[in-house]
Amino acid sequence: MSMSASATPGRLGSEAKTGRTSMYTRKSSATTERAGEEIEFANQRGLEDTYLNRMRIFVAPYFAEFFGTAVFVLLGCGANLTYTVLTTNAESAWLANAFGWGFGLMLGVFVAGGVSGAMLNPAVAVSFAAFRGLPWIQVPFYILAEFIGAFIGAILAYACFAHSLDPFDGYHRQIGGPFGSAGAFGNFARPFIGNGAAFLSEAIGTGVLVLGVFAITDTNNFPARSSTPIAIGFLLTGLAISLGYPTGYSYNPARDLGPRCAAAIWYGADVFTYHGSYTWVPVAGPFAGGIVGAAAYELFIVSKRAVVDDSRSYSESVHSSVSLE
């Protein structure tokens, strides 16, 4: 019994270490598994092994992020513009605005989810790279695709609403004031809210968003699986209704900066300096909040589950050791 007891801690320590690191080993194998999935997909589609088809498979995630973000921003900015030009029943217009962004995100996730994972948000992409195994080398390309997609989505939204804005502002595009409409593209905090408070609001909202996305997509928790796009869309809608009023709920650097750059075409460069050079707030706030939300989920929820698994493995190992004696 004493020999077995002296040998057990080493074995148990190795097993516990293996249990604790299993979460991280799946990160290192994510790229290899994805490459295998892409090859299998190519075989199923009957694609020949040519340079062109290899490039198509390689760039598919980035085009998926581009189109998914473009659809998301097109519907969202369209909802913003509808809210802007409606001068009556503002309360119901705000609710419709929240659902517009939520449905836009839902459709964007449906478009890109099976190909790229549908980050559609640089803050989410960075968080998934830090904690969920998205290769860091892909992150800059994801962010670039998301930014361009948001830029194009905003241009398409403006094209749909240009003639509707003319009677609203008298053919004179204004950033702020009673006839200002630039906020339909790049967000601005309420006039009575400073940039510091706005940064905190954006960080908290994005932290809850990323924490929710991590929970929804965690297969070891209570995953939404095929309903993931719907769940994430309603998550954004809920955040918009409950926390979105102070800043207009950007929670996404690409969703704000891309449309803001598009708005500069019609409203001028002042869109970057308006409200005390507000541009940095909806960019920095979501990055900071996203990392905090992701870390909170991984450290205080996933790690606890891992500890429980390790404890169970430890108990089973002790039981097996005693039984063998």
Side-chain angles (χ1 to χ4, degrees):
M1 180 70 178
S2 59
M3 290 180 62
S4 176
S6 63
T8 299
R11 183 169 70 251
L12 296 180
S14 175
E15 292 173 352
K17 182 178 180 181
T18 301
R20 284 191 297 272
T21 57
S22 61
M23 178 173 60
Y24 300 98
T25 55
R26 72 169 181 262
K27 291 183 179 181
S28 62
S29 62
T31 305
T32 303
E33 292 176 357
R34 186 166 189 82
E37 292 173 357
E38 291 173 350
I39 293 173
E40 182 180 358
F41 172 78
N43 291 335
Q44 291 176 352
R45 293 289 298 273
L47 298 177
E48 297 180 3
D49 186 15
T50 64
Y51 176 79
L52 179 60
N53 286 332
R54 287 184 180 182
M55 285 301 299
R56 288 174 59 192
I57 295 173
F58 175 77
V59 301
Y62 312 118
F63 274 105
E65 286 294 307
F66 166 79
F67 282 108
T69 307
V71 168
F72 166 45
V73 172
L74 170 60
L75 270 63
C77 284
N80 279 357
L81 288 164
T82 300
Y83 174 72
T84 299
V85 299
L86 288 178
T87 56
T88 59
N89 203 6
E91 291 78 9
S92 63
W94 173 263
L95 184 63
N97 175 272
F99 275 103
W101 278 104
F103 289 148
L105 180 58
M106 179 183 68
L107 183 56
V109 175
F110 271 121
V111 169
V115 180
S116 67
M119 305 292 110
L120 311 187
N121 184 337
V124 173
V126 169
S127 299
F128 267 75
F131 295 101
R132 287 289 178 89
L134 177 68
W136 279 105
I137 194 172
Q138 290 185 315
V139 172
F141 300 102
Y142 269 64
I143 293 176
L144 180 62
E146 290 156 3
F147 171 80
I148 298 174
F151 180 84
I152 297 300
I155 288 179
L156 293 175
Y158 182 84
C160 292
F161 277 83
H163 294 291
S164 298
L165 287 172
D166 290 338
F168 171 74
D169 58 17
Y171 299 86
H172 178 61
R173 299 295 181 260
Q174 304 171 43
I175 297 176
F179 299 104
S181 55
F185 300 97
N187 281 353
F188 298 102
R190 303 295 172 178
F192 49 84
I193 296 177
N195 286 355
F199 174 87
L200 182 62
S201 177
E202 284 288 311
I204 292 174
T206 310
V208 177
L209 174 68
V210 173
L211 186 144
V213 169
F214 269 46
I216 291 169
T217 57
D218 186 357
T219 57
N220 294 317
N221 194 340
F222 193 71
R225 301 190 187 281
S226 59
S227 300
T228 294
I230 299 173
I232 292 177
F234 276 104
L235 170 62
L236 180 59
T237 297
L239 287 171
I241 295 172
S242 58
L243 300 177
Y245 177 79
T247 62
Y249 60 94
S250 172
Y251 307 154
N252 184 333
R255 166 262 172 277
D256 182 89
L257 190 58
R260 191 180 299 271
C261 290
I265 300 173
W266 312 291
Y267 298 88
D270 287 345
V271 295
F272 299 106
T273 58
Y274 188 77
H275 197 287
S277 297
Y278 184 79
T279 304
W280 68 272
V281 174
V283 174
F287 275 123
I291 287 294
V292 172
Y297 187 87
E298 291 294 320
L299 294 177
F300 296 107
I301 299 178
V302 171
S303 63
K304 284 188 176 182
R305 186 172 64 250
V307 168
V308 171
D309 292 342
D310 287 347
S311 299
R312 186 179 297 116
S313 298
Y314 182 86
S315 300
E316 291 174 354
S317 299
V318 172
H319 180 75
S320 299
S321 176
V322 173
S323 298
L324 288 174
E325 286 298 317

